[in-house]
Amino acid sequence: MSSRFLRSAACAWLLSVAAGAGAATGTMPAGFDQRVAEAMRSRDVPGMAIAVVKGGEIVHARGYGVRRLGGAEPVDADTIFPTGSTGKAVTAAALAILVDDGKLGWDDKVADHLPDFRMYDPWVTREMTVRDLLLHRSGLALGAGDLLFIPRTSRSRADIVRALRHIKPATSFRSGYAYDNILYIVAGELVSQVSGQPWERFVRERIFVPMGMKTAVSDEKDRFATANRVQPHARLDPRLRGLGEQQVLPEREGLGQVGAPAGGLSWSANDFARWMQLQLGQGVVPGSDGGKRLYGEASANEMWTPQVPVPIRPYPAPISDITPQFSGYALGWNVQDYRGVKVIQHGGAVFGVLAFVVLVPEHDLGIALMINSEDVDVQRGLGFELLDHYLGFEPRDWVAAFSTWNRERLAGGLAALEGAGKASRKASRPSLPAAGYAGDYADAWYGPIAVAERDGKLRIDFRQTPDMAGTLSHWQYDTFRADWDDASIEPAYVTFALDADGKVERITMKAVSPLADFSYDYQDLLFQPKTAE
């Protein structure tokens, strides 16, 4: 599709809604379905689902496109999508229900309910509260420990709780904000311990069933048993993820069941709408007789109260207008402003699928968008166009603005990657023959890996991450590049350090791409030769 046509179509759509700008009504923008189709075609997006709630009513819940690139099965309002970290609010709600049940308090010590819970620092272990699990202020680095369950794992949640004690903090406790997933997994284990039910069953029986959420699933096996589900897609150019043609990813690429409390739920546009109704209703079950509550108003307010400042990094042009004036993290929600209007929001990403939800309590408005690709420009662009429509701001082609920003971001990442390779890579030979690097190694928090020599080539295998194995190619000196058999996993540099006897003493790693997802926290690993037990 030509850029001239896209510009013309976008202008036509903007003109069609201009007359309605400033009218915060419950009606969708004129021609919105056509607008969605045009935006999806511009980036070869397979499918989307969008839900809008206004004034307590569901005014839009619809699917667009197809579940799988090249397929014919349509996305409809009941097609389920993995919702990523937007599900953190569900884990917070599960804890709120237990608080209202009188079974725990927000400021209870975690260790009082989970005796096996340990942080690296014993003092932090003693002081960590239920509230702290949800606020990203533990002192852990951004995404610390994510490789325990991303892209998949053979561990249990209890295993992850036990591994947590070996992850060194990056900052002092409660000194600042750094987003993490692992403590939400601990929160899920806490729900299980206090309720006496698995987190999956508690969420299903205490949230989904009372809410009438008929498509929502908390267990991965139920997702795969649902025929009406999307397939994940991404652009996997060998140079940089985000470039190249759209392609289908392995469907099981994601958090795995163990990471579900941090972002492993799946549901449809219809159920996302009901979830937004519950949120905007401050815990009142939508459509219930007598205003039945899932949780009390005090808990609703608690979950929306920002408690940790989130550093604001201004967005560049042409999306600089979305830079908030204030931003804070509450219990499973970001609280900030959009052009001066307070919003409650959260994004979610499971490799190959994105979700985004924004609530505007002042306008009794909720908007949610899910997309079965990684084209954030289409998803967020359409989301901000809807926000502008309902908040009465002048219409703008946000999809084009986000696409420009994304192109520049990818171009900058590619330039940095190619520049670093040319500037730093030296013509050199490895210190040892291939067999000299082979062996069994272990990191204190991740666990075991194996490096094996086969016909003069090296292979690396992350033993507790099924199917995370790849080939090591010499890069320079004693650094090799790991390219995984599963191309959707971020490549990494693997550096072997030798002792005075010329034997491998330790292995460190870092992602090759400057734009790699923070969940590939290779930089936190320190592998050492595994000693015989």
Side-chain angles (χ1 to χ4, degrees):
M1 181 173 291
S2 71
S3 60
R4 179 182 299 175
F5 178 84
L6 288 172
R7 287 196 298 272
S8 298
C11 288
W13 177 80
L14 291 174
L15 288 172
S16 74
V17 301
T25 68
T27 59
M28 294 291 287
F32 182 71
D33 288 347
Q34 180 185 355
R35 172 59 175 160
V36 174
E38 291 164 352
M40 290 173 63
R41 282 197 296 269
S42 74
R43 293 288 288 151
D44 195 25
V45 170
M48 288 190 72
I50 299 175
V52 178
V53 169
K54 183 76 172 74
E57 300 296 326
I58 299 174
V59 299
H60 189 83
R62 188 167 298 176
Y64 301 87
V66 293
R67 301 176 212 163
R68 180 187 176 100
L69 192 66
E73 298 89 351
V75 175
D76 59 34
D78 286 323
T79 302
I80 64 170
F81 288 68
T83 61
S85 287
T86 64
K88 283 182 167 63
V90 175
T91 294
L95 289 169
I97 291 169
L98 291 171
V99 169
D100 286 354
D101 286 349
K103 294 185 176 180
L104 84 169
W106 292 114
D107 295 309
D108 285 2
K109 300 295 192 291
V110 176
D112 289 342
H113 296 284
L114 282 178
D116 206 27
F117 171 78
R118 300 283 188 281
M119 297 294 286
Y120 189 83
D121 185 323
W123 181 82
V124 176
T125 300
R126 292 194 300 270
E127 293 300 312
M128 180 81 73
T129 65
V130 174
R131 185 189 309 275
D132 289 320
L133 293 177
L134 308 180
L135 289 173
H136 309 298
R137 63 182 185 184
S138 67
L140 294 175
L142 173 67
D146 277 4
L147 280 170
L148 285 167
F149 65 101
I150 289 177
R152 54 188 75 88
T153 187
S154 58
R155 299 174 178 86
S156 67
R157 278 185 205 128
D159 291 336
I160 288 181
V161 171
R162 285 190 290 272
L164 183 61
R165 67 197 63 185
H166 301 293
I167 302 177
K168 295 181 180 180
T171 63
S172 58
F173 183 45
R174 296 177 182 155
S175 65
Y177 172 88
Y179 192 85
D180 79 81
N181 290 303
I182 194 168
L183 290 177
Y184 271 80
I185 297 176
V186 176
E189 190 69 2
L190 180 62
V191 170
S192 298
Q193 183 70 27
V194 173
S195 70
Q197 295 179 304
W199 174 88
E200 289 81 358
R201 188 174 6 146
F202 185 89
V203 166
R204 182 175 66 250
E205 294 181 358
R206 297 295 301 273
I207 298 177
F208 295 163
V209 172
M211 283 288 295
M213 298 172 72
K214 297 178 181 179
T215 66
V217 293
S218 55
D219 197 312
E220 193 173 65
K221 70 177 184 297
D222 293 330
R223 174 162 66 94
F224 293 123
T226 303
N228 192 1
R229 69 184 188 278
V230 297
Q231 306 290 306
H233 302 78
R235 306 171 194 276
L236 301 179
D237 187 293
R239 298 169 300 166
L240 192 71
R241 190 179 186 122
L243 299 175
E245 298 297 318
Q246 199 85 261
Q247 58 184 283
V248 182
L249 294 186
E251 189 177 14
R252 293 182 182 274
E253 175 72 22
L255 302 183
Q257 190 56 40
V258 71
L265 299 172
S266 295
W267 59 38
S268 65
N270 276 332
D271 280 346
F272 219 148
R274 291 188 67 78
W275 173 249
M276 291 191 291
Q277 286 179 304
L278 173 79
Q279 290 294 317
L280 291 166
Q282 294 279 277
V284 175
V285 176
S288 62
D289 294 333
K292 178 183 176 182
R293 283 188 168 275
L294 204 66
Y295 47 79
E297 187 174 354
S299 287
N301 291 330
E302 191 79 50
M303 288 186 283
W304 279 8
T305 301
Q307 299 178 50
V308 179
V310 175
I312 296 174
R313 296 178 177 83
Y315 285 94
I319 61 169
S320 56
D321 286 355
I322 70 169
T323 301
Q325 300 175 63
F326 70 89
S327 183
Y329 203 84
L331 305 183
W333 291 98
N334 285 107
V335 182
Q336 57 187 69
D337 73 286
Y338 172 65
R339 301 174 75 174
V341 179
K342 179 182 176 182
V343 297
I344 317 292
Q345 68 175 47
H346 214 291
V350 176
F351 303 114
V353 183
L354 301 176
F356 177 59
V357 56
V358 56
L359 307 172
V360 191
E362 179 184 344
H363 293 262
D364 201 8
L365 171 68
I367 298 168
L369 305 95
M370 300 179 287
I371 185 170
N372 64 340
S373 70
E374 296 180 352
D375 298 288
V376 66
D377 41 351
V378 173
Q379 183 214 35
R380 292 295 177 101
L382 290 172
F384 283 110
E385 288 176 11
L386 282 172
L387 267 177
D388 285 351
H389 168 74
Y390 282 105
L391 299 183
F393 295 126
E394 182 179 353
R396 179 177 176 182
D397 186 352
W398 278 110
V399 173
F402 270 90
S403 293
T404 298
W405 162 78
N406 195 42
R407 283 195 302 271
E408 293 175 352
R409 181 183 72 91
L410 291 170
L414 185 60
L417 184 63
E418 293 176 342
K422 292 176 182 177
S424 63
R425 190 176 186 184
K426 303 295 189 298
S428 56
R429 294 182 177 179
S431 302
L432 304 174
Y437 298 99
D440 292 322
Y441 303 89
D443 172 81
W445 61 265
Y446 172 80
I449 63 169
V451 177
E453 182 270 332
R454 297 177 187 171
D455 301 323
K457 295 184 178 181
L458 288 173
R459 296 274 297 171
I460 185 170
D461 184 0
F462 273 54
R463 289 290 182 83
Q464 290 188 274
T465 307
D467 301 322
M468 187 171 172
T471 299
L472 296 179
S473 303
H474 184 249
W475 181 254
Q476 64 178 354
Y477 303 115
D478 291 315
T479 295
F480 295 75
R481 174 176 163 135
D483 288 289
W484 310 100
D485 299 341
D486 180 347
S488 65
I489 301 176
E490 287 285 354
Y493 291 123
V494 181
T495 298
F496 295 84
L498 310 183
D499 63 18
D501 295 323
K503 295 181 179 179
V504 176
E505 185 176 54
R506 64 185 182 274
I507 300 173
T508 56
M509 298 177 65
K510 70 174 184 177
V512 171
S513 170
L515 301 181
D517 189 279
F518 65 75
S519 288
Y520 288 106
D521 54 329
Y522 298 123
Q523 72 282 348
D524 296 334
L525 296 167
L526 177 60
F527 291 106
Q528 295 176 307
K530 196 173 180 181
T531 57
E533 296 180 357

